[in-house]
């Protein structure tokens, strides 16, 4: 099992803090051992001086982290939150449109069924025209199809001769009746 992301992030930050403090303490001990900086005669004064220097360096590191890295991370979080919110709103709008569309389709079907019921009440014993039986008022689909249809051609096609598609009429045929193209004509 893995720990939740918040616990992992906290552990990583704690390890980074321990690493930074260890490096600073090692640096301070190295400087003191090499007698490079502020080597006083009393150990208490030396310890206090190096503690103040370590506090200053850690304070500066914390300030730089806050100034440069945390602001950038907060900007990324803000941007990702805005993107997530935008996607959520878009999904809600899409769901709303889908619901409205399905409601309209249901209303149209209800209106068509109501029209057919009225027709059936007015014409007892007959089949509604939307069921494919002749007679009565056409259904909404048939009305739309008829309104879109222009005139149907009433002339007959005049075909004088079949079109030659490149196969000679006198070419040899195979057993299945298709032209045999293995041999060129004129040989």
């Amino acid at each position: 099992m893995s720990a939740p992301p918040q616990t992992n992030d906290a552990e990583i930050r704690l390890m980074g803090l321990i690493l930074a403090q260890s490096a600073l303490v090692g640096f301070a001990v190295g400087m003191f051992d090499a007698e490079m900086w502020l080597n006083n005669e009393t150990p208490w004064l030396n310890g206090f001086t190096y503690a103040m220097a370590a506090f200053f360096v850690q304070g500066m590191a914390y300030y730089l982290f806050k100034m440069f890295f945390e602001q950038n991370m907060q900007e990324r979080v803000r941007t990702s939150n805005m993107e997530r919110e935008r996607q959520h709103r878009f999904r809600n709008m899409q769901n709303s449109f889908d619901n409205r569309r399905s409601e309209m389709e249901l209303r149209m079907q209800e209106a068509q069924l109501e029209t057919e019921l009225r027709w059936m009440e007015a014409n007892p014993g007959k089949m509604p025209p939307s069921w494919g039986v002749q007679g009565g008022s056409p259904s909404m689909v048939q009305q739309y199809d008829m309104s879109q249809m222009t005139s149907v051609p009433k002339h007959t096609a005049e075909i004088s001769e079949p079109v030659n598609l490149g196969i000679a009429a006198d070419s040899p045929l195979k057993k299945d009746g298709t032209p045999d193209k293995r041999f060129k004509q004129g040989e």
Side-chain angles (χ1 to χ4, degrees):
M1 278 195 223
S2 65
Q6 293 90 4
T7 306
N8 289 339
D9 290 345
E11 287 176 1
I12 290 172
R13 286 190 195 114
L14 181 62
M15 290 301 292
L17 177 64
I18 291 171
L19 177 67
Q21 287 179 343
S22 299
L24 290 174
V25 168
F27 182 70
V29 169
M31 284 184 64
F32 178 74
D33 189 43
E35 297 179 359
M36 293 176 63
W37 185 63
L38 294 178
N39 192 7
N40 297 321
E41 54 277 343
T42 63
W44 288 103
L45 187 57
N46 284 335
F48 182 71
T49 304
Y50 280 96
M52 291 299 291
F55 178 74
F56 172 75
V57 171
Q58 282 186 343
M60 289 303 295
Y62 179 74
Y63 176 75
L64 292 174
F65 171 77
K66 285 287 193 181
M67 285 296 293
F68 296 110
F69 298 109
E70 187 176 31
Q71 183 177 2
N72 189 16
M73 288 189 293
Q74 286 177 350
E75 185 67 25
R76 285 186 200 162
V77 167
R78 188 179 67 81
T79 304
S80 67
N81 285 341
M82 285 174 48
E83 181 67 22
R84 191 178 309 119
E85 183 180 324
R86 185 186 65 79
Q87 288 176 351
H88 181 70
R89 280 187 290 163
F90 180 75
R91 248 184 273 121
N92 285 342
M93 283 175 30
Q94 191 70 27
N95 288 339
S96 172
F97 290 150
D98 288 343
N99 289 340
R100 288 173 53 195
R101 185 179 304 117
S102 62
E103 285 177 15
M104 290 299 290
E105 288 173 358
L106 286 173
R107 284 187 202 147
M108 287 174 55
Q109 288 177 354
E110 184 181 6
Q112 184 176 1
L113 288 174
E114 187 67 34
T115 304
E116 287 181 4
L117 283 174
R118 276 192 247 118
W119 185 90
M120 289 171 73
E121 287 174 354
N123 302 302
K126 292 184 180 179
M127 299 292 259
S130 61
W131 291 0
V133 177
Q134 294 296 327
S137 63
S139 68
M140 294 176 78
V141 174
Q142 290 172 340
Q143 288 175 1
Y144 178 77
D145 287 343
M146 295 304 282
S147 68
Q148 296 298 317
M149 187 183 305
T150 57
S151 65
V152 177
K154 298 189 184 339
H155 68 279
T156 58
E158 296 177 18
I159 301 173
S160 58
E161 224 177 273
V163 179
N164 186 357
L165 298 176
I167 300 173
D170 58 340
S171 64
L173 299 177
K174 295 183 199 174
K175 289 181 182 179
D176 62 355
T178 59
D180 190 2
K181 295 183 181 181
R182 292 182 292 180
F183 304 104
K184 293 183 182 177
Q185 290 199 0
E187 288 183 6

